[in-house]
Amino acid sequence: MSGFFHSFQTYRHRLSKIASDPGVRWSWQALWTVPLIIFVNDHLIEINSVDGQSMSPTLSPHFHETGSRDYLVVWKPGATQNVRRGEIVAYWSPRDPENLKIKRVIATAGDTVYPKESRFKKELVPYGHIWVEGDNWRKTRDSNDYGPISKALIIGKPKYIIWPWNRMGALSTEWHHPRTRVVPGEAEIPKEFVD
């Protein structure tokens, strides 16, 4: 039995020597920290900047003058559930899948949209889709250009401005949007999806 304790003590001594090495300690910390950061970024929150003027004056209001951007915390859990008119969403562009867009939801499934200055005269938003527009209608590429977008493209809902400091705070869903007329409707689940 004494041989076992001696071997255990020797093993423990070697481990403590290895663990006291700064390089090994940093490697172990990186080994669990990096996957944790990736998990948080993929499933919980993401920090995104708002480039351009499309959401001005709500987001990045001084971009056209100084190039300053708002940085937002995008909340990912349940991003496609309970999407309501007036909410701001982050989504992958249907035209350029590498480009992340941030726009306001104007209409949800079942709503009829009558956009102004668009190639669409009247559009019924299909099941599983939303109609999005930028707050600055003069400088935006949105559903007026490519139609309703699938809710599957949504990655999250921006909740807070974290930079610049003078604009820090929660995002509001209050808005006035005179550009597009929306007639609320009811989304019907297509018969193909019902057993």
Side-chain angles (χ1 to χ4, degrees), residues 12-26 28:
R12 205 170 111 195
H13 177 70
R14 286 182 185 162
L15 272 180
S16 66
K17 237 177 153 177
I18 291 170
S20 65
D21 180 13
V24 171
R25 192 175 19 209
W26 184 89
W28 277 110

Side-chain angles (χ1 to χ4, degrees), residues 1-185:
M1 208 52 156
S2 67
F4 171 75
F5 287 117
H6 177 68
S7 298
F8 179 73
Q9 292 290 354
T10 306
Y11 178 71
R12 205 170 111 195
H13 177 70
R14 286 182 185 162
L15 272 180
S16 66
K17 237 177 153 177
I18 291 170
S20 65
D21 180 13
V24 171
R25 192 175 19 209
W26 184 89
S27 297
W28 277 110
Q29 288 174 348
L31 195 62
W32 68 267
T33 304
V34 171
L36 179 66
I37 291 170
I38 291 170
F39 176 82
V40 167
N41 188 63
D42 286 350
H43 300 289
L44 299 176
I45 63 170
E46 186 172 310
I47 307 298
N48 287 350
S49 67
V50 180
D51 301 331
Q53 304 172 52
S54 69
M55 285 300 292
S56 181
T58 307
L59 300 172
S60 297
H62 304 293
F63 186 84
H64 68 285
E65 298 165 351
T66 63
S68 72
R69 304 173 178 152
D70 286 351
Y71 286 84
L72 310 173
V73 173
V74 177
W75 184 251
K76 292 185 171 187
T80 60
Q81 299 168 347
N82 302 321
V83 178
R84 296 183 308 267
R85 286 178 217 96
E87 281 187 310
I88 298 173
V89 294
Y91 64 95
W92 294 110
S93 170
R95 291 252 173 99
D96 180 11
E98 297 291 318
N99 192 358
L100 191 64
K101 301 271 191 179
I102 297 176
K103 303 286 187 228
R104 190 177 300 277
V105 177
I106 302 302
T108 58
D111 293 348
T112 303
V113 178
Y114 296 89
K116 294 182 180 176
E117 301 173 24
S118 171
R119 64 185 182 96
F120 302 101
K121 300 288 183 216
K122 170 179 141 178
E123 185 79 24
L124 177 65
V125 181
Y127 178 77
H129 289 69
I130 57 173
W131 187 275
V132 293
E133 292 183 0
D135 287 357
N136 182 358
W137 63 271
R138 291 177 185 93
K139 300 282 185 180
T140 185
R141 290 224 174 276
D142 51 31
S143 288
N144 288 294
D145 299 307
Y146 40 75
I149 66 162
S150 171
K151 285 173 47 176
L153 294 174
I154 298 173
I155 65 147
K157 297 177 183 177
K159 297 292 185 183
Y160 303 98
I161 299 173
I162 59 169
W163 183 261
W165 298 113
N166 62 341
R167 293 187 36 78
M168 185 182 288
L171 283 175
S172 171
T173 58
E174 293 179 22
W175 60 287
H176 173 67
H177 208 282
R179 180 178 181 207
T180 301
R181 184 169 71 106
V182 176
V183 177

